[in-house]
């Protein structure tokens, strides 16, 4: 029996993005011991990349805003598949979580009278995103880390969790390997919070960094937790398309919030051509009204560029497919045009969108204050994930909690921009608190060392296979399969083909081999990530085939309309006794009358 390097904590938090850090702070505040594990260095989590802002109805810029409007916007954006309890808690608690960040030292852009400034974003009725230029995630991570560092949290950097360990039905800890030396570490805990972020690396074109291989979703699934609504993947409308080396890198929605417009190769603002019925009453009737909206005119309605992301992404795909795209397969996003409207436009753009200015200047040699950007959709976010209880964030596995992007529920079929950073704060805190309480009120767990040794053996197997295939080809093949067959516009036959190919890739992955030794070996790490990528890819394909309608982030060419029957269910996947995925349609509970009334009133 190996003698593992073992660390014991009451609560183990896996992931050090906004959700993990907020959960760790909350658990530590409850007086339990907390361990925080992350795959990369502290400060490198995806949250640091968030640009546009954090959504909260502070009503600093428009006093008509309140939790009821935010709740209703979130539900409409999610096309009513959201966990309404989560949407309610999120809308009610987000303002306090933002003010708390401010009290912990976060800097925000300010209104002339010194309050936190808020900007417009797609699907939000009023300016709602608290922000610091276009570097809000950096400020959030910095603040949470600075605050967390004083709470007695033990941080384990560059440890990747390979498997969750169980004591009977209950979670008991996890086994990790250390990326630098390739050694194993065992974590023994009473509760685990998963906060591992997204799945973007399952696709070829993505705004996500190398870390986002769906680990939390796959770990939870393997441990018996249910995954929900995995078909809902968000393709952000604006990623860079040129040069090829930067394809997919995000161009923040803040550009459109500040007045940026989308045009096709004929110079037409095509977004005015197709405004969905349920947003018509809230959308500007002409460009002039749209411009006034972005400049804070309360009597104006938002421009169609600020419709929800699913809709804008599909409109761009349509322009490209019908031959009206830009030279490199996207369309044009123009913020430079605002010089027709305001003096000092160049300085204004640089001040409001400093990262975008820098990004295009250094990566594409484009000066966005003078010329339009070329953009196209990029895989950005997953609305689906680990199914959790709305109040506590506990999954169906006792002691296993999830928060942030790896959890499902809040966003339904489509997430509104800015609602992720607030999600991390609201539900990170809740997950940490409830995990701490769970740890306190349930006894210690027993580690079954055989589970750890079996996971270790599986992890080291690629070194023993001498003539297998390398992991990169398989990873790339999977990304192509998902991009081409389970992307923005989906069809049954293509998705069935994807499932067959995923089976074949699974078989290839089982025989993968790596060379070199265990010390910092990216090939080995990629081989280990493959299993997670394949699990989430399969879950996405299965649920996407099952949902025979178009809703939110899921668009079916063969079923282009919404089906009211699918509007009543979440699609849930669990591991069956034979190890295969078992899919079920789970009815969404009826909304309490007072919440239904809010939606009715907000129109
Ligand atoms: C470019 C970009 C801009 C964005 N802008 C905005 C915005 O303006 N507003 C907004 O609301 N949202 C935005 N988003 C989305 C938002 O940033 C993410 O959804 C959110 O930050 C996810 O946070 P998280 O805490 O769930 O996970 P992350 O911040 O993704 O952190 C995940 C953590 O889990 C760790 N981890 C993963 N797997 C393992 C493992 N196996 N073992 C150990 N650790 C592991 C990672 O190392 C990391 O520490 C943006 C996203 C991108 C990519």
């Amino acid at each position: 029996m190996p003698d593992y390097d073992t660390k014991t904590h009451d609560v183990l938090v896996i992931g050090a993005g906004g959700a993990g850090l907020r959960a760790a702070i909350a658990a530590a505040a409850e007086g339990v011991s907390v361990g925080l594990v992350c795959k990369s260095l502290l400060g490198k989590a995806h949250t640091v990349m968030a640009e546009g802002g954090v959504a909260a109805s502070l009503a600093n810029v428009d006093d008509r805003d309140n939790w009821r409007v935010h709740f209703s916007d979130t539900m409409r954006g999610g096309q009513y598949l959201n966990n309404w309890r989560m949407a309610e808690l999120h809308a009610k608690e987000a303002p306090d979580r933002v003010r708390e960040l401010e009290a912990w030292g976060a800097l925000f852009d300010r209104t002339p009278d010194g309050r936190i400034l808020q900007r417009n974003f797609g699907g939000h009725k009023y300016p709602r995103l608290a922000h610091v230029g276009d570097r809000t995630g950096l400020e959030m991570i910095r603040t949470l880390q600075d605050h967390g560092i004083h709470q007695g949290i033990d941080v384990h950097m560059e440890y990747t969790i390979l498997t969750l360990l169980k004591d009977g039905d209950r979670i008991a800890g996890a086994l990790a390997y250390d990326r630098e030396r390739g050694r194993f570490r065992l974590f023994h805990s009473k509760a685990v919070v998963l906060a591992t972020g997204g799945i973007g690396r399952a696709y070829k074109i993505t705004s996500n960094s190398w870390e986002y291989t769906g680990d939390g979703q796959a770990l939870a699934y393997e441990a018996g937790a249910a995954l929900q609504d995995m078909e809902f993947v968000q393709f952000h409308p604006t990623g860079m398309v040129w040069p090829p080396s930067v394809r997919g890198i995000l161009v923040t929605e803040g550009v459109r919030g500040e007045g940026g417009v989308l045009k096709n190769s004929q110079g037409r603002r095509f977004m005015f051509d197709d405004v969905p019925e349920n947003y018509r009453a809230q959308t500007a009737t002409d460009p002039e009204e749209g411009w006034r909206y972005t400049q804070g005119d309360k009597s104006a309605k938002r421009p169609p560029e600020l419709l929800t992301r699913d809709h804008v992404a599909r409109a761009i795909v349509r322009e490209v497919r019908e031959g009206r795209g830009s030279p490199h397969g996207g369309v044009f996003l123009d913020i430079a045009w605002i010089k027709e409207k305001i003096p000092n436009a160049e300085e204004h753009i640089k001040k409001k969108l400093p990262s975008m200015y820098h990004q295009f200047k250094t990566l594409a040699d484009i000066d966005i204050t003078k010329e339009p950007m070329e953009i196209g959709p990029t895989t950005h976010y997953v609305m689906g994930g680990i199914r959790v209880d709305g109040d506590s964030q506990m999954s169906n596995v006792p002691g296993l909690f999830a928060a942030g992007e790896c959890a499902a529920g809040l966003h339904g079929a489509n997430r509104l921009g800015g609602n992720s950073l607030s999600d991390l704060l609201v539900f990170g805190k809740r997950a940490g608190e409830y995990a701490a309480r769970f740890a306190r009120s349930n006894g210690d767990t027993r580690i079954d060392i055989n589970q750890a040794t079996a996971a270790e053996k599986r992890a080291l197997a690629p070194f023993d296979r001498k003539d297998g295939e390398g992991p990169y080809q398989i990873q790339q093949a999977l990304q192509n399969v998902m991009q081409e067959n389970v992307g923005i516009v989906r069809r049954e036959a293509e998705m069935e083909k994807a499932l067959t190919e995923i089976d074949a890739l699974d078989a290839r992955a089982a025989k993968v081999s790596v060379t070199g030794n265990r010390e910092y070996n990216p090939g080995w790490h990629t081989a280990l990530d493959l299993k997670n990528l394949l699990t989430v890819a399969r879950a996405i394909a299965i649920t996407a085939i099952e949902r025979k309608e178009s809703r939110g982030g899921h668009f079916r060419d063969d079923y282009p309309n919404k089906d009211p029957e699918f509007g009543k269910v979440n699609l849930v996947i669990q591991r069956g006794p034979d190890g295969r995925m078992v899919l079920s349609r789970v009815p969404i509970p009826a909304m309490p009358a007072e919440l239904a009334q809010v939606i009715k009133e907000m129109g």
Side-chain angles (χ1 to χ4, degrees), residues 39 46 53 66 81 146 156 209 235 259 309 313 320 323 362 376 384 405-406 412 414 427 462 471 517 541 553 576:
K39 203 160 159 175
H46 221 162
N66 57 53
L81 288 189
D146 282 0
H156 308 271
S209 79
F235 300 93
R309 290 174 174 177
V320 176
T362 51
E405 191 169 341
C406 70
N414 180 41
F427 294 106
N517 53 35

Side-chain angles (χ1 to χ4, degrees), residues 14-20 37-41 44-55 121 129 136 141 159-162 195-198 207-208 211-213 215-216 219 250 252 309 380-381 403-406 415-422 424 532:
I14 305 173
V37 194
C38 51
K39 203 160 159 175
S40 59
L41 294 171
K44 291 270 185 185
H46 221 162
T47 302
V48 82
M49 294 162 79
E51 294 163 353
V54 45
F121 240 56
L129 266 69
T136 314
I141 280 280
Y159 278 90
T160 302
I161 301 293
L162 278 171
T196 52
S207 65
N208 289 194
E211 287 187 71
Y212 300 99
T213 48
D215 296 8
L219 290 167
L250 195 76
T252 176
R309 290 174 174 177
H380 185 56
Y381 186 89
E405 191 169 341
C406 70
R415 174 181 72 97
L416 299 186
N419 268 1
S420 172
L421 292 190
S422 40
L424 312 181
N532 300 328

Side-chain angles (χ1 to χ4, degrees), residues 192-401:
V192 166
V193 178
L194 287 168
T196 52
I199 57 98
R201 287 282 150 176
Y203 286 82
K204 183 173 155 195
I205 301 172
T206 178
S207 65
N208 289 194
S209 79
W210 63 270
E211 287 187 71
Y212 300 99
T213 48
D215 296 8
Q217 294 85 341
L219 290 167
Y221 167 79
E222 292 293 334
L227 300 180
Q228 175 179 310
D229 295 340
M230 290 297 286
E231 69 275 29
F232 294 116
V233 175
Q234 181 168 80
F235 300 93
H236 193 293
T238 59
M240 292 180 81
V241 295
W242 191 259
S245 57
V246 300
R247 186 160 193 151
I249 292 182
L250 195 76
V251 180
T252 176
E253 193 164 322
V255 176
R256 284 169 284 143
E258 298 296 341
V261 299
L262 290 167
K263 288 186 180 163
N264 63 20
S265 58
Q266 299 163 351
R268 184 173 175 79
R269 267 183 84 176
F270 56 90
M271 288 307 303
F272 274 103
D273 298 342
D274 176 21
V275 177
E277 187 55 45
N278 59 338
Y279 279 97
R280 205 155 285 163
Q282 296 186 6
T283 307
T285 48
D286 57 49
E288 188 53 35
E289 183 182 12
W291 166 250
R292 284 193 284 113
Y293 175 91
T294 64
Q295 301 310 296
D297 180 343
K298 290 185 185 172
S299 67
K301 294 189 282 292
R302 67 176 152 233
E305 278 85 358
L306 290 178
L307 285 164
T308 52
R309 290 174 174 177
D310 53 328
H311 183 76
V312 181
R314 278 195 299 277
I316 293 171
V317 169
R318 185 196 59 218
E319 291 305 303
V320 176
R321 280 194 176 174
E322 293 177 7
R324 296 183 294 273
S326 63
H328 302 104
V331 294
F332 296 105
L333 171 62
D334 188 7
I335 183 78
W337 83 276
I338 68 171
K339 60 180 173 285
E340 294 167 20
K341 294 285 185 186
I342 54 173
N344 301 325
E346 291 189 13
E347 286 318 304
H348 179 80
I349 294 167
K350 283 184 198 167
K351 180 162 169 256
K352 286 288 181 186
L353 301 160
S355 301
M356 285 305 104
Y357 174 76
H358 185 72
Q359 183 172 309
F360 273 90
K361 195 80 195 115
T362 51
L363 300 179
D365 197 24
I366 295 278
D367 180 347
I368 67 167
T369 68
K370 295 192 169 66
E371 51 197 321
M373 301 155 244
E374 254 189 277
I375 56 85
T378 180
T379 313
H380 185 56
Y381 186 89
V382 60
M383 277 69 75
I386 303 158
R387 183 171 163 91
V388 290
D389 170 72
D391 284 78
S392 69
Q393 299 287 284
M394 192 160 91
S395 70
N396 56 302
V397 175
L400 181 62
F401 297 75

Side-chain angles (χ1 to χ4, degrees), residues 406-455:
C406 70
L410 171 61
H411 311 290
N414 180 41
R415 174 181 72 97
L416 299 186
N419 268 1
S420 172
L421 292 190
S422 40
D423 171 4
L424 312 181
L425 296 173
V426 169
F427 294 106
K429 177 173 186 286
R430 282 183 164 267
E433 279 170 1
Y434 279 89
R437 287 176 209 161
F438 181 94
R440 264 207 314 263
S441 54
N442 289 276
D444 205 355
T445 50
R446 192 188 56 88
I447 292 284
D448 171 3
I449 209 74
N450 294 325
Q451 293 177 21
T453 49

